[in-house]
Amino acid sequence: MKLLVTGGAGFIGSNFIRYILRARPGVSVINLDKLTYAGNLENLAGLESHPRYSFIRGDICNRHLVSDIMSGGVDAVINFAAESHVDRSIMDASPFVETNVRGTQVLLDAAVAYWKERLNGRAAAGAERPVIFIQVSTDEVYGSLGPEGRFTEESPLKPSSPYSASKAAADLLALAYHRTHGLPVIVTRCSNNYGPYQFPEKLIPLMITNALEGRPLPVYGDGLNVRDWLHVEDHCRALELVLFRGRPGEIYNIGGHGERPNIEVVQMILRLLNKPESLIRFVKDRPGHDRRYAIDPSKITRELGWRPRYTFEEGLAETVEWYVKNRFWWERIKSGEYREYYMKMYGE
Ligand code: NAD
Ligand code: TYD
């Protein structure tokens, strides 16, 4: 099986590529990534000469490039490529609409064209496997919950930020391509991920690395906003099941009952690092800040037998240890050195 993975140099995409190459000897991967500020080839260090892996630097909005890659032969597309940080989307929504909405449309168009061509070609041979298109989405499309309840696949879409609105738009496009063109699309909506190689602007890696540097830990508002944390490897396992056994046209929510208020997560990190709580600073709240996310994962558990393997305590301890041991990785990012490296390697 030949996979086109987009955004594979980012946090979840790079973890997925490492995971799937390890878990599935019959899978090969083409990684298409633009290498924005969040894309980092160091996340894939060691895979450069892997016989089942190749990298193409490029934009999912580039129609010619995407069509060319697909016509080279692709059995499935997994679209991770996105602008992914809520705070950045509040500053400037344009790149979010461009990549998350238009980029997804370009991928869907190319997949439809390639799929139809392939169906025609294969009809005579009488054997066809569908080209599966997995749109990797987020629970943030459902908006904010009160103190009770969980998001199901039927929950209404009520995105609060330009980021989540752009992801909701992409989900709807993907599902519309299934209804209209019969493209075998599956949408997954996962809760907040954490684990190795997460860019240190998101809560968990920011707090770990700030604490290690002895810098203040900025907690928005009262710190009581709740996120439903899932280890990235559990997300990757869910995507693997969806890829091989998911039903086209369906949505699968992914989450591991890992609800925690932000302040509790920050306190756990400080305890693991043996650092004082005096580093915590309560700062101005994020505009439109969703109060609580929580996923009901019963559909993916029932249909595909998925269950998370990590408890939050185990996963967080392992993640903290990873950031302690891989200081060179995040120090280069935080210092801006890695940008210079990319400029030298690839130009702008
Ligand atoms: P990330 O920001 O770490 O990585 C995004 C990757 O996409 C980067 O490598 C970047 O270079 C690449 N990219 C951006 N624009 C591109 C373009 N136009 N063409 C090609 N590549 C481009 O994001 P992440 O946290 O790994 O998230 C991956 C996906 O999972 C996103 O779609 C996100 O919405 C979704 N998701 C994330 C979380 C989470 O907690 N991080 C949770 C649920 C869903
Ligand atoms: P984040 O990691 O940005 O993910 P998302 O906004 O997609 O859920 O933020 C997770 C939670 O942590 C969210 O409630 C905002 C909060 N937060 C802080 O309190 N301080 C910070 O510096 C950051 C980045 C986030």
Side-chain angles (χ1 to χ4, degrees):
M1 179 187 262
K2 206 158 147 190
L3 297 185
L4 172 58
V5 172
T6 67
F11 162 49
I12 306 176
S14 62
N15 275 283
F16 179 78
I17 291 173
R18 284 180 186 283
Y19 171 78
I20 204 79
L21 289 175
R22 206 171 55 232
R24 298 275 179 168
V27 166
S28 63
V29 170
I30 304 169
N31 174 16
L32 171 64
D33 198 296
K34 185 178 171 183
L35 298 182
T36 67
Y37 79 95
N40 183 351
L41 288 180
E42 285 176 10
N43 299 358
L44 296 154
L47 290 185
E48 297 83 357
S49 55
H50 193 290
R52 289 182 282 121
Y53 171 75
S54 59
F55 173 69
I56 298 170
R57 187 188 189 189
D59 193 329
I60 59 165
C61 299
N62 181 337
R63 259 172 211 282
H64 292 299
L65 176 65
V66 167
S67 300
D68 270 4
I69 295 171
M70 286 202 199
S71 48
V74 158
D75 300 300
V77 180
I78 309 194
N79 183 25
F80 292 96
E83 288 293 333
S84 69
H85 189 43
V86 173
D87 293 326
R88 285 180 188 255
S89 80
I90 295 168
M91 307 284 285
D92 179 8
S94 300
F96 288 76
V97 174
E98 178 66 7
T99 287
N100 301 4
V101 186
R102 203 172 78 76
T104 302
Q105 182 220 335
V106 168
L107 286 172
L108 287 164
D109 281 341
V112 166
Y114 170 61
W115 181 61
K116 286 188 174 159
E117 186 186 297
R118 187 161 142 164
L119 268 183
N120 288 337
R122 294 277 180 88
E128 179 49 35
R129 282 192 48 240
V131 179
I132 290 278
F133 188 108
I134 299 179
Q135 174 62 12
V136 180
S137 188
T138 163
D139 60 354
E140 301 193 26
V141 297
Y142 299 121
S144 188
L145 284 169
E148 301 296 325
R150 294 205 156 81
F151 299 128
T152 72
E153 289 78 3
E154 277 74 47
S155 298
L157 300 184
K158 283 190 183 171
S160 310
S161 70
Y163 161 66
S164 50
S166 68
K167 292 296 291 185
D171 288 13
L172 293 178
L173 269 178
L175 293 168
Y177 275 62
H178 173 72
R179 294 276 304 261
T180 303
H181 297 293
L183 184 71
V185 165
I186 301 176
V187 172
T188 60
R189 293 183 178 146
C190 190
S191 59
N192 284 63
N193 283 214
Y194 68 97
Y197 301 105
Q198 187 167 30
F199 197 85
E201 67 184 352
K202 304 282 170 80
L203 180 76
I204 288 182
L206 182 76
M207 298 298 155
I208 298 173
T209 58
N210 275 15
L212 285 169
E213 293 176 313
R215 292 203 213 180
L217 274 49
V219 173
Y220 299 161
D222 59 9
L224 295 177
N225 300 65
V226 172
R227 294 294 180 268
D228 187 353
W229 295 99
L230 185 75
H231 193 278
V232 64
E233 207 168 295
D234 282 324
H235 186 187
C236 293
R237 278 193 205 96
L239 291 171
E240 177 193 22
L241 285 170
V242 167
L243 173 65
F244 286 95
R245 306 223 323 265
R247 286 188 296 133
E250 294 295 315
I251 299 165
Y252 293 94
N253 281 356
I254 306 167
H257 299 290
E259 284 181 58
R260 294 282 185 300
N262 293 337
I263 188 67
E264 205 176 300
V265 174
V266 173
Q267 286 164 337
M268 284 171 78
I269 290 169
L270 288 171
R271 273 199 301 278
L272 284 163
L273 288 171
N274 205 15
K275 297 281 183 183
E277 290 203 4
S278 56
L279 285 174
I280 296 174
R281 297 279 184 287
F282 288 93
V283 299
K284 198 161 139 286
D285 208 356
R286 171 189 278 172
H289 196 178
D290 286 333
R291 193 63 173 167
R292 174 172 168 256
Y293 302 144
I295 282 273
D296 174 353
S298 50
K299 178 173 172 181
I300 191 167
T301 302
R302 192 175 60 246
E303 284 193 16
L304 305 181
W306 177 82
R307 271 187 192 78
R309 292 197 185 155
Y310 279 93
T311 64
F312 185 63
E313 285 72 15
E314 286 162 355
L316 188 66
E318 212 181 280
T319 302
V320 166
E321 203 182 316
W322 188 88
Y323 281 85
V324 169
K325 285 195 179 138
N326 291 277
R327 230 183 145 112
F328 68 95
W329 179 86
W330 57 264
E331 274 182 344
R332 268 160 65 77
I333 293 173
K334 279 192 141 179
S335 70
E337 248 181 71
Y338 89 116
R339 290 293 317 159
E340 282 168 34
Y341 164 77
Y342 283 139
M343 296 272 282
K344 273 199 209 115
M345 292 284 286
Y346 303 102
E348 252 319 278

Coordinates of all heavy atoms in Angstrom, one line a residue, residues 229-256:
W229 N -6.8 14.9 26.8 CA -5.5 14.6 26.2 C -5.3 13.2 25.8 O -5.7 12.3 26.5 CB -4.4 15.0 27.3 CG -4.4 16.4 27.6 CD1 -5.0 17.1 28.6 CD2 -3.8 17.5 26.8 NE1 -4.8 18.4 28.5 CE2 -4.1 18.7 27.4 CE3 -3.1 17.5 25.6 CZ2 -3.6 19.9 26.9 CZ3 -2.6 18.7 25.0 CH2 -2.9 19.9 25.7
L230 N -4.7 13.0 24.6 CA -4.4 11.7 24.1 C -3.0 11.6 23.6 O -2.5 12.5 22.9 CB -5.4 11.4 22.9 CG -5.3 10.0 22.3 CD1 -6.0 9.0 23.3 CD2 -5.9 9.9 20.9
H231 N -2.3 10.5 24.0 CA -0.9 10.4 23.5 C -0.9 10.2 22.0 O -1.8 9.4 21.5 CB -0.3 9.2 24.2 CG 1.2 9.1 24.0 ND1 1.8 8.6 22.8 CD2 2.2 9.6 24.7 CE1 3.1 8.8 22.9 NE2 3.4 9.4 24.1
V232 N 0.0 10.8 21.3 CA 0.0 10.8 19.9 C 0.1 9.4 19.3 O -0.5 9.1 18.2 CB 1.2 11.7 19.3 CG1 2.5 11.2 19.7 CG2 1.1 11.9 17.8
E233 N 0.7 8.5 20.0 CA 0.8 7.1 19.4 C -0.5 6.4 19.5 O -0.8 5.6 18.6 CB 1.9 6.3 20.2 CG 2.5 5.2 19.4 CD 3.7 4.6 20.0 OE1 4.7 5.3 20.2 OE2 3.6 3.4 20.4
D234 N -1.4 6.8 20.4 CA -2.7 6.2 20.5 C -3.5 6.8 19.3 O -4.4 6.1 18.7 CB -3.4 6.5 21.8 CG -2.9 5.6 22.9 OD1 -2.7 4.4 22.6 OD2 -2.8 6.0 24.1
H235 N -3.3 8.1 18.9 CA -4.0 8.6 17.8 C -3.5 7.9 16.5 O -4.3 7.5 15.6 CB -3.6 10.1 17.7 CG -4.3 10.9 16.6 ND1 -4.1 12.2 16.3 CD2 -5.3 10.5 15.7 CE1 -4.9 12.6 15.3 NE2 -5.6 11.6 15.0
C236 N -2.2 7.6 16.4 CA -1.6 7.0 15.2 C -2.2 5.6 15.1 O -2.6 5.1 14.0 CB -0.1 6.9 15.3 SG 0.7 8.5 15.2
R237 N -2.4 4.8 16.2 CA -3.0 3.5 16.1 C -4.5 3.6 15.6 O -4.9 2.8 14.9 CB -3.0 2.8 17.5 CG -1.7 2.2 17.8 CD -1.8 1.3 19.0 NE -0.5 1.2 19.6 CZ -0.1 1.9 20.6 NH1 -0.9 2.7 21.2 NH2 1.2 1.8 21.0
A238 N -5.2 4.6 16.1 CA -6.5 4.8 15.6 C -6.6 5.1 14.1 O -7.4 4.5 13.4 CB -7.2 6.0 16.4
L239 N -5.7 5.9 13.7 CA -5.6 6.2 12.2 C -5.3 5.0 11.4 O -5.8 4.7 10.3 CB -4.6 7.3 11.9 CG -5.0 8.7 12.5 CD1 -3.9 9.7 12.3 CD2 -6.3 9.2 11.7
E240 N -4.4 4.1 11.9 CA -4.1 2.9 11.2 C -5.4 2.0 11.1 O -5.6 1.5 10.0 CB -3.0 2.1 12.1 CG -2.6 0.8 11.5 CD -1.8 -0.1 12.5 OE1 -1.9 0.2 13.7 OE2 -1.1 -1.0 12.0
L241 N -6.1 1.9 12.2 CA -7.4 1.1 12.1 C -8.4 1.7 11.1 O -9.0 1.0 10.3 CB -8.0 1.0 13.5 CG -7.3 0.1 14.5 CD1 -7.9 0.3 15.9 CD2 -7.5 -1.4 14.1
V242 N -8.5 3.0 11.1 CA -9.4 3.7 10.2 C -8.9 3.4 8.8 O -9.8 3.2 7.9 CB -9.4 5.2 10.5 CG1 -10.1 6.0 9.4 CG2 -10.2 5.4 11.9
L243 N -7.7 3.5 8.5 CA -7.1 3.3 7.2 C -7.4 1.9 6.6 O -7.8 1.8 5.5 CB -5.6 3.5 7.3 CG -4.8 3.2 6.0 CD1 -5.1 4.2 4.9 CD2 -3.3 3.4 6.3
F244 N -7.3 0.9 7.5 CA -7.5 -0.4 7.0 C -8.9 -0.9 7.1 O -9.3 -1.8 6.3 CB -6.5 -1.4 7.7 CG -5.1 -1.3 7.2 CD1 -4.2 -0.5 7.9 CD2 -4.7 -1.9 6.0 CE1 -2.9 -0.3 7.4 CE2 -3.4 -1.7 5.6 CZ -2.5 -0.9 6.2
R245 N -9.7 -0.4 8.1 CA -11.0 -1.0 8.4 C -12.1 0.0 8.5 O -13.3 -0.4 8.7 CB -10.9 -1.8 9.7 CG -9.8 -2.9 9.7 CD -10.2 -4.2 10.2 NE -11.1 -4.1 11.4 CZ -10.8 -4.1 12.7 NH1 -9.5 -4.2 13.0 NH2 -11.7 -4.0 13.6
G246 N -11.8 1.3 8.4 CA -12.9 2.3 8.5 C -13.8 2.3 7.4 O -13.5 1.8 6.3
R247 N -15.1 2.7 7.6 CA -16.1 2.7 6.6 C -16.1 4.1 5.9 O -16.3 5.1 6.5 CB -17.5 2.5 7.2 CG -17.6 1.0 7.6 CD -19.0 0.7 8.1 NE -19.4 1.4 9.3 CZ -20.5 2.1 9.4 NH1 -21.4 2.2 8.5 NH2 -20.8 2.7 10.6
P248 N -16.0 4.1 4.6 CA -16.1 5.3 3.8 C -17.3 6.1 4.1 O -18.4 5.5 4.3 CB -16.0 4.9 2.4 CG -15.3 3.6 2.4 CD -15.7 2.9 3.7
G249 N -17.2 7.4 4.1 CA -18.4 8.3 4.4 C -18.6 8.5 5.8 O -19.5 9.3 6.2
E250 N -17.8 7.9 6.7 CA -18.1 8.0 8.2 C -17.1 9.0 8.8 O -16.1 9.3 8.3 CB -17.9 6.6 8.8 CG -18.9 5.6 8.4 CD -20.3 5.9 8.9 OE1 -20.5 6.3 10.0 OE2 -21.2 5.8 8.0
I251 N -17.6 9.4 10.0 CA -16.8 10.2 10.9 C -16.4 9.4 12.1 O -17.3 8.7 12.6 CB -17.6 11.5 11.4 CG1 -18.0 12.3 10.2 CG2 -16.8 12.3 12.4 CD1 -19.1 13.3 10.5
Y252 N -15.2 9.4 12.6 CA -14.8 8.7 13.8 C -14.2 9.7 14.8 O -13.2 10.4 14.5 CB -13.8 7.6 13.5 CG -14.3 6.5 12.7 CD1 -14.2 6.4 11.3 CD2 -15.0 5.4 13.3 CE1 -14.7 5.4 10.5 CE2 -15.6 4.4 12.6 CZ -15.4 4.4 11.2 OH -16.0 3.3 10.4
N253 N -14.8 9.8 15.9 CA -14.2 10.6 17.0 C -13.1 9.8 17.7 O -13.3 8.6 18.0 CB -15.3 11.0 18.1 CG -16.1 12.2 17.6 OD1 -15.9 12.8 16.6 ND2 -17.1 12.5 18.4
I254 N -12.0 10.4 18.1 CA -10.9 9.7 18.8 C -10.5 10.5 20.0 O -10.2 11.7 20.0 CB -9.7 9.6 17.8 CG1 -10.0 9.0 16.5 CG2 -8.6 8.8 18.5 CD1 -8.9 9.2 15.4
G255 N -10.6 9.8 21.2 CA -10.3 10.4 22.4 C -10.2 9.4 23.5 O -10.9 8.4 23.4
G256 N -9.3 9.6 24.5 CA -9.1 8.5 25.5 C -9.5 8.8 26.9 O -8.9 8.3 27.8

